[in-house]
Amino acid sequence: MSQSTTDLVVRNSSNNEPFSSILNKSMSRRAVMRGGLGAILAVATGGGLAACGSGDDAESSGGNDPAPKLALGFQSLPVSMTDACVVPAGYVAHVLGPWGTPLDDNAAAWDPNGNNTSHDLLHSTGMHHDGMHYFPIDGSSAEGLLAVNHEYIDEVALHPSGPTAPNGKRPAEEARKEINAHGVAILHIRKTSGRWNIVKNSRYNRRFTSATPMSLAGPVRASDWVKTPFSPNGSQVRGTNNNCGNGHTPWGTYLTCEENWAACFKNSAEQPREQKRVGVPSASGRYKWETAAGDPSEVNGEFARFDITPTGADALQDWRNEINGFGYIVEIDPFDPSSIAIKRTAMGRFAHEGCAFGKLEAGKPISFYSGDDSRFEYIYKFVSEAVWDPADLGRSDRLAVGAKYLDKGTLYVARFDADGTGVWLPLVESTIGKEGRTLGAEFGSLDAIIINTRGAADFVGATPMDRPEWTAVHPESGDVYLTLTNNTARNQSTGTNAANPRLNNVNGHIVRWHDEGNQRNFRWDIFVFGSEAQAEAGVNRSGLTALNQFASPDGLGFDSRGIMWIQTDNGIDGGRNNAVARATNDQMLAVIPKALADSSGTGPVVNGDNQGDLRRFFVGPNEAEVTGLAFTPDNKTLFLNIQHPVNWPYTDDATVATPTGTKVRPRSSTVVIQRADGGAIGV
């Protein structure tokens, strides 16, 4: 998530013990027993390289012949602050599908003066590329579908001279243009002579925007919460908004995550608790789309729906329920251009940031993990009622498979304990909360619990975290990793806990866990702490150096080989306000973790003895967030996204810096990275 759309207000007023307090208790106890931070690092990691690949030697494959050990094959990059992308020696990078790139002949070519219309944006790539996934066509590493999130917009870059609001009202055309720049793009891409391009006019090319009709499924569908003038029976909603992190399913569909959607609405009346808990503004929405209401061209309340202030006799006479159709995981079938996107409400309603499924086992339920990206919010898991059937991998009715696994199940929220264990707390009617009452008694039926997901998590005593963001699952061990981006609001008053142990956590960290077989218990540790290289030991707990210092881990993913890729969103667009931001632009690093079972204690796994295994692979252009991650099946092409650059790209070669004194209209873009010799990325 971009720092530009971060909700800086703490919405969690519960007194649940925060993760940092729990970890502080755990680490402090060991410090007393073993003598300081250095002992903690050694004991927590089992010593040496117990939990990271060394990159220098080999290990046995279990037989007589040694198997080559997976190792990083590049040297860590130095820091960079230029209007260009930086890749290791021997790699090339080019720009693919910057915002405004036409997908078909219905869109005019991108205008560098910002004069494209809302109709053009409906048939072009959207703005502020974020999470994405590559879906191969017939298993190909040279042709496939790239699903790309478009999280939010830069109004200054989108319009010729920025946004306008004559007489306090947004022009309908500007509002439609902004609405169409949000959402998701499905791009048919093909590699020819080593170069990837969009296949223009392909039947697969498709846009989902903040106005595209979508189906509701699961417990909230057809409930009184979501009945509106647009959908009186509560079966549909228009649009998906603020699509940041992402996921995919084993059966071949895309999961896009709705994050900071609440700020796009306004309610100037007394707000119900579920709206207060997610932070609905009272004065105006983020983009003031509601002010375009009443324009002669308005269709079926397309702008009025963003003002959810009750004005009529019931929910069918105003738009009070419009917001309840947002805050979900949205499933898209990229291979079926005629399909409708489906919001899977059983998976919870909050600021979803990423969605990764756990290791698959035939005959057992599937788990999906997601963070709620805001200060002191929680980590969630959805466990399907249906058990995994490998036969579902080959089915063409992919959204029907999605209904099987994603519409019925149990939503859990995590509690982390100081001894390195944790418990998943079910958000169901019968769960007893901290005050001795059940969730059903407090909120009502399951649909009400889902609408009030954050409040329900408060009620059962979940552990408040430091902005939980993307999740990633190791392809072999099944360990789950999650980025905790930062939390500068963590202070002496709020306290710390075991999994969030640093006050004024400007740098963030990564936590991981492994579920026990009963699905209710887990073991956890901290994988790595972000820090500037020169920080004192209590801050730089992973012993990072100038070659791998980082802050605000955000995007996260594994490739199929087990290399973990870490992307950062260090808030450079808000000013270089910490030491890492003053040293380098946002970046992507790589590391090869071993299983949590090879570690002990609560971490950090990456420490002063093995930190060299964490290497900087990529640095982005000035003021840009590095986000989104996808690989081709052969691991020879890496796609990542550059969001909100200030003065880039200058050419199709992503590594060419914009000349000093030259200004370009910035374009968020996908960057395609390959090795010049055609080999696999990273090794």
Side-chain angles (χ1 to χ4, degrees):
M1 175 190 69
S2 171
Q3 299 280 5
S4 296
T5 60
T6 302
D7 185 359
L8 298 179
V9 178
V10 175
R11 307 290 176 184
N12 188 345
S13 60
S14 73
N15 61 356
N16 296 351
E17 184 178 17
F19 193 13
S20 50
S21 173
I22 296 166
L23 186 53
N24 249 8
K25 292 177 183 177
S26 176
M27 296 185 76
S28 296
R29 180 167 58 249
R30 286 195 300 280
V32 170
M33 294 173 61
R34 295 180 172 89
L37 181 62
I40 291 174
L41 297 178
V43 172
T45 59
L49 297 169
C52 288
S54 71
D56 295 319
D57 50 13
E59 62 183 11
S60 172
S61 61
N64 294 324
D65 298 324
K69 186 174 183 178
L70 181 64
L72 299 180
F74 64 92
Q75 297 302 310
S76 194
L77 290 175
V79 297
S80 172
M81 288 190 289
T82 62
D83 284 314
C85 297
V86 182
V87 295
Y91 286 80
V92 294
H94 74 264
V95 175
L96 173 70
W99 77 262
T101 300
L103 304 183
D104 54 49
D105 291 335
N106 289 306
W110 179 74
D111 180 3
N113 296 312
N115 290 309
N116 290 98
T117 67
S118 61
H119 179 79
D120 292 334
L121 265 293
L122 188 59
H123 296 273
S124 304
T125 52
M127 211 172 206
H128 284 10
H129 303 39
D130 209 300
M132 64 180 165
H133 188 74
Y134 175 84
F135 294 89
I137 294 177
D138 297 326
S140 174
S141 289
E143 184 174 17
L145 307 181
L146 192 66
V148 182
N149 285 353
H150 298 296
E151 183 190 3
Y152 74 111
I153 58 172
D154 177 351
E155 294 168 290
V156 174
L158 183 61
H159 303 296
S161 301
T164 64
N167 300 316
K169 290 183 173 292
R170 297 297 312 281
E173 169 60 14
E174 284 190 15
R176 286 196 189 99
K177 187 175 177 180
E178 293 171 10
I179 285 169
N180 289 346
H182 280 75
V184 177
I186 306 298
L187 311 176
H188 182 184
I189 59 174
R190 181 184 295 142
K191 184 170 69 171
T192 304
S193 300
R195 177 83 178 201
W196 288 88
N197 290 287
I198 296 173
V199 181
K200 192 176 182 182
N201 293 313
S202 167
R203 70 185 187 92
Y204 292 117
N205 291 340
R206 192 176 181 192
R207 280 298 316 282
F208 299 85
T209 74
S210 295
T212 305
M214 299 183 175
S215 180
L216 292 166
V220 174
R221 177 185 170 92
S223 70
D224 288 341
W225 292 101
V226 288
K227 294 176 179 177
T228 67
F230 174 76
S231 181
N233 64 359
S235 63
Q236 285 195 338
V237 67
R238 275 177 293 184
T240 184
N241 231 67
N242 294 98
N243 305 80
C244 189
N246 70 295
H248 65 284
T249 67
W251 49 92
T253 58
Y254 184 64
L255 302 178
T256 184
C257 303
E258 298 182 326
E259 193 197 22
N260 285 317
W261 41 274
C264 293
F265 297 87
K266 63 161 285 191
N267 180 359
S268 56
E270 176 64 25
Q271 295 185 7
R273 60 179 173 178
E274 69 274 5
Q275 291 183 16
K276 292 179 181 178
R277 190 61 180 81
V278 297
V280 176
S282 59
S284 66
R286 176 185 293 132
Y287 303 112
K288 298 182 173 62
W289 292 335
E290 71 279 0
T291 66
D295 185 272
S297 67
E298 183 178 21
V299 177
N300 198 8
E302 61 179 306
F303 308 122
R305 66 193 177 104
F306 291 100
D307 186 345
I308 59 173
T309 306
T311 57
D314 56 41
L316 298 185
Q317 307 302 313
D318 56 39
W319 297 101
R320 69 185 71 178
N321 281 347
E322 182 72 9
I323 194 171
N324 296 331
F326 290 81
Y328 304 106
I329 299 291
V330 185
E331 186 178 19
I332 295 171
D333 184 350
F335 293 100
D336 183 359
S338 65
S339 61
I340 187 170
I342 301 177
K343 298 197 177 189
R344 302 295 186 187
T345 67
M347 304 177 80
R349 179 174 178 262
F350 47 89
H352 284 278
E353 180 84 9
C355 185
F357 61 86
K359 191 171 183 179
L360 298 175
E361 295 185 62
K364 294 186 178 181
I366 309 176
S367 295
F368 289 82
Y369 302 91
S370 190
D372 183 353
D373 184 7
S374 194
R375 294 168 174 176
F376 303 107
E377 294 302 338
Y378 305 120
I379 297 172
Y380 296 87
K381 173 175 77 165
F382 175 79
V383 180
S384 65
E385 180 179 293
V387 298
W388 173 239
D389 181 355
D392 288 331
L393 286 172
R395 288 173 53 178
S396 59
D397 55 342
R398 287 170 285 272
L399 291 176
V401 179
K404 172 182 175 181
Y405 293 107
L406 302 182
D407 285 346
K408 292 184 179 180
T410 302
L411 180 66
Y412 296 87
V413 66
R415 189 191 77 211
F416 289 77
D417 295 326
D419 62 356
T421 65
V423 178
W424 291 108
L425 307 168
L427 299 182
V428 297
E429 296 97 321
S430 60
T431 298
I432 299 174
K434 297 180 297 180
E435 300 173 2
R437 301 171 63 237
T438 66
L439 278 174
E442 177 67 17
F443 295 100
S445 56
L446 183 59
D447 57 309
I449 293 173
I450 294 295
I451 291 291
N452 288 275
T453 299
R454 281 184 174 178
D458 296 339
F459 192 77
V460 300
T463 302
M465 309 292 285
D466 286 350
R467 287 187 54 200
E469 296 224 23
W470 292 47
T471 49
V473 178
H474 192 284
E476 294 182 359
S477 70
D479 293 342
V480 187
Y481 293 72
L482 182 141
T483 51
L484 296 163
T485 293
N486 56 49
N487 188 354
T488 55
R490 191 174 289 284
N491 53 38
Q492 294 292 347
S493 175
T494 61
T496 60
N497 63 34
N500 304 268
R502 294 184 297 186
L503 297 174
N504 188 32
N505 184 11
V506 299
N507 296 311
H509 53 290
I510 297 175
V511 66
R512 67 176 182 172
W513 65 87
H514 191 97
D515 280 359
E516 303 289 358
N518 62 10
Q519 291 280 6
R520 292 291 302 273
N521 299 92
F522 61 91
R523 293 170 291 118
W524 67 270
D525 64 17
I526 287 183
F527 183 69
V528 62
F529 287 99
S531 175
E532 66 272 24
Q534 302 304 317
E536 51 90 14
V539 173
N540 191 3
R541 302 186 183 196
S542 288
L544 303 184
T545 71
L547 288 175
N548 56 17
Q549 62 180 333
F550 72 90
S552 298
D554 192 335
L556 188 69
F558 279 96
D559 62 34
S560 61
R561 302 161 297 183
I563 300 176
M564 187 168 77
W565 302 85
I566 304 166
Q567 299 172 322
T568 68
D569 176 16
N570 200 19
I572 294 172
D573 52 330
R576 298 184 183 272
N577 293 324
N578 65 50
V580 177
R582 289 189 289 271
T584 187
N585 289 345
D586 274 319
Q587 58 188 296
M588 185 168 77
L589 306 101
V591 67
I592 303 172
K594 289 186 178 178
L596 188 149
D598 295 328
S599 185
S600 62
T602 52
V605 175
V606 176
N607 62 76
D609 293 330
N610 61 23
Q611 57 77 28
D613 293 332
L614 176 67
R615 302 181 188 178
R616 184 180 295 121
F617 176 82
F618 177 90
V619 185
N622 288 331
E623 298 193 23
E625 174 186 351
V626 178
T627 184
L629 180 68
F631 279 86
T632 52
D634 62 6
N635 291 306
K636 293 182 178 180
T637 299
L638 162 64
F639 304 93
L640 60 77
N641 285 325
I642 295 300
Q643 186 183 104
H644 59 75
V646 67
N647 196 31
W648 176 94
Y650 183 68
T651 72
D652 287 341
D653 185 337
T655 67
V656 173
T658 305
T660 301
T662 299
K663 291 294 294 182
V664 300
R665 188 171 292 266
R667 301 176 76 184
S668 295
S669 308
T670 297
V671 173
V672 182
I673 300 175
Q674 300 172 97
R675 270 175 47 172
D677 63 5
I681 300 291
V683 296

